[in-house]
Amino acid sequence: MPLYKSIIINSQTTVKIWKIEESYNALISPLDLKPQSLERVLGMKSELHQRGFLSVRHLLRDFGYTDEDLFYDANGKPHLKDGKHISITHSFTFSGVIVSDTKVGIDIEKQRDKIAIIANKFVDYEFDYLDHFNIDYIRKLTVIWGIKESLYKLFATPGMLFNVHFLVLPFMLEAQGTVCWIDYEFKKYRYQSHFIEFEGFTCAYVIE
């Protein structure tokens, strides 16, 4: 079982990351999926997405949950029946799950040059401290995207804009964390974000 990394943040919060190396058949055979999940995975056109979906169910098992313990609300936000908070992500060959007693969000992204093309869609204030010519520009953009995606998952309010409502304070890659804000409907919310890098990927997570 390629559980790639397990991060115990505190007594209430844990992150688990899976490296997706198995075939579709190897991933699905040990799982007991509820009908809705089976229908969903069979309807996916990409085997990579199927394997990502299934690897998340293996991470659930590693947490001690089954597919039956997971459900989604009308906004597509995942929940656990025992009341704990959960956030889910997968990107190419990695997937991740964070479970906590408080609200959380997690995102994994592959570090790719193409992110610079869409930077203005999710970056505003952050351009003040980003250096387009710095060797770490793509890595920092990926961190910012991951943090803002995590904030979006945590806050779970449709209509929020990454470059308007989310703010990431300056950071060093070596610090593996920074303060971030949500500024929405005349209210401000402060969070601590964290991130790690591995094998050309970035995993960011935010905890309430």
Side-chain angles (χ1 to χ4, degrees):
M1 280 177 43
L3 178 63
Y4 184 77
K5 191 180 291 288
S6 185
I7 307 167
I8 300 174
I9 300 166
N10 53 47
S11 59
Q12 292 84 36
T13 310
T14 300
V15 171
K16 291 183 184 289
I17 297 171
W18 189 277
K19 187 172 184 180
I20 309 168
E21 298 177 324
E22 311 91 333
S23 67
Y24 169 84
N25 288 334
L27 283 166
I28 198 170
S29 60
L31 297 176
D32 183 15
L33 298 178
K34 58 191 175 188
Q36 303 97 307
S37 295
L38 185 58
E39 181 181 0
R40 184 175 170 191
V41 74
L42 292 176
M44 293 177 178
K45 296 180 180 179
S46 165
E47 184 176 310
L48 191 59
H49 288 158
Q50 290 178 318
R51 291 164 65 208
F53 180 93
L54 295 172
S55 67
V56 166
R57 271 63 197 168
H58 281 271
L59 285 172
L60 284 175
R61 292 210 317 175
D62 206 74
F63 274 106
Y65 294 108
T66 69
D67 186 48
E68 285 286 347
D69 295 317
L70 181 71
F71 66 97
Y72 293 82
D73 64 21
N75 292 324
K77 181 178 173 63
H79 298 270
L80 291 167
K81 289 183 177 178
D82 66 1
K84 284 186 177 290
H85 297 273
I86 184 171
S87 185
I88 293 168
T89 182
H90 53 83
S91 175
F92 292 91
T93 53
F94 284 95
S95 60
V97 171
I98 183 170
V99 174
S100 179
D101 290 348
T102 62
K103 291 181 179 179
V104 286
I106 190 171
D107 187 57
I108 294 176
E109 296 291 336
K110 189 174 184 179
Q111 298 165 359
R112 296 186 289 173
D113 291 343
K114 65 185 294 185
I115 196 172
I117 300 172
I118 62 165
N120 64 338
K121 294 183 182 297
F122 68 93
V123 175
D124 183 35
Y125 155 80
E126 295 82 11
F127 278 134
D128 291 345
Y129 64 79
L130 287 171
D131 181 357
H132 294 66
F133 302 102
N134 190 287
I135 191 172
D136 294 329
Y137 180 59
I138 298 300
R139 291 169 62 197
K140 285 197 168 186
L141 278 179
T142 309
V143 169
I144 291 167
W145 173 269
I147 291 172
K148 292 190 175 187
E149 180 70 27
S150 299
L151 285 171
Y152 186 81
K153 292 178 177 181
L154 181 152
F155 210 67
T157 302
M160 301 185 79
L161 300 174
F162 283 27
N163 60 347
V164 175
H165 300 115
F166 303 144
L167 185 100
V168 178
L169 295 190
F171 61 93
M172 301 291 290
L173 289 170
E174 297 77 14
Q176 297 188 327
T178 187
V179 172
C180 53
W181 290 81
I182 292 176
D183 187 348
Y184 187 66
E185 294 188 345
F186 308 106
K187 291 183 179 180
K188 291 181 170 61
Y189 308 84
R190 183 184 186 275
Y191 301 95
Q192 184 67 41
S193 62
H194 307 270
F195 58 87
I196 57 172
E197 298 178 296
F198 47 86
E199 298 190 27
F201 287 79
T202 300
C203 175
Y205 51 93
V206 178
I207 307 163
E208 188 175 55

